[in-house]
Amino acid sequence: AMRCLRIELPYLPPAEFGANRSRGVAWQRQWRISHDVKEGAVDEIIWTVREQDWRGPAMKKAEIRLTFYLPDRRRRDGLMLLERMKPWLDGLVQGQQPVLVDDDLATIGFPVALWEYRKGSPGTLIEIKETA
């Protein structure tokens, strides 16, 4: 049986995770800020996976579907939202019970990204589905 995992976050990925934020900022300062924040995202995924009692070997092949729930119709860059998900994808590979063997193209390919407007209620849904 193919395994699935759903992780719901009550927010959109923060702007600090995007490359645009690093332009014009001293690299040491930018690394320190982003490293601390990103480490929190990795820890959050590891904790969420543990809370869901995830078991078994890490998936060798999987599809990832990301749904971004946008709270308003403000103009947004879709590829930037996708880029900002990197720390959470890293978290799926780390921890005592990793979900994925890696977050590279051979393992997950390109994630499918969707969006919906959900007035006043931002969020991100990460769905991981094992494939043959």
Side-chain angles (χ1 to χ4, degrees):
M2 297 295 160
R3 298 171 297 159
C4 297
L5 183 66
R6 288 173 51 100
I7 299 170
E8 291 189 57
L9 305 170
Y11 48 80
L12 293 169
E16 291 83 11
F17 294 3
N20 282 349
R21 286 296 168 127
S22 62
R23 292 189 182 112
V25 176
W27 71 268
Q28 281 184 313
R29 181 173 172 267
Q30 171 59 26
W31 183 88
R32 197 167 49 252
I33 292 167
S34 66
H35 184 73
D36 291 346
V37 177
K38 289 177 183 178
E39 208 169 81
V42 169
D43 290 346
E44 179 180 29
I45 287 295
I46 291 169
W47 181 82
T48 304
V49 166
R50 189 179 308 140
E51 187 181 55
Q52 291 190 29
D53 203 27
W54 176 259
R55 297 230 185 271
M59 296 179 192
K60 292 179 181 155
K61 292 282 282 175
E63 290 176 357
I64 293 191
R65 188 163 117 162
L66 305 168
T67 305
F68 299 104
Y69 298 107
L70 308 176
D72 54 47
R73 296 189 180 268
R74 199 175 82 220
R75 190 170 173 265
R76 287 185 173 81
D77 182 332
L79 291 177
M80 188 58 62
L81 278 173
L82 197 54
E83 177 184 308
R84 293 177 192 173
M85 288 302 299
K86 180 74 175 123
W88 284 281
L89 296 179
D90 289 346
L92 293 171
V93 178
Q94 298 175 19
Q96 291 178 326
Q97 267 313 128
V99 175
L100 301 168
V101 294
D102 205 340
D103 60 352
D104 63 355
L105 286 172
T107 306
I108 64 170
F110 283 101
V112 173
L114 307 166
W115 75 96
E116 292 177 23
Y117 291 109
R118 198 165 70 179
K119 189 173 174 136
S121 184
T124 305
L125 174 62
I126 306 167
E127 295 173 288
I128 305 106
K129 187 167 100 180
E130 190 171 36
T131 58

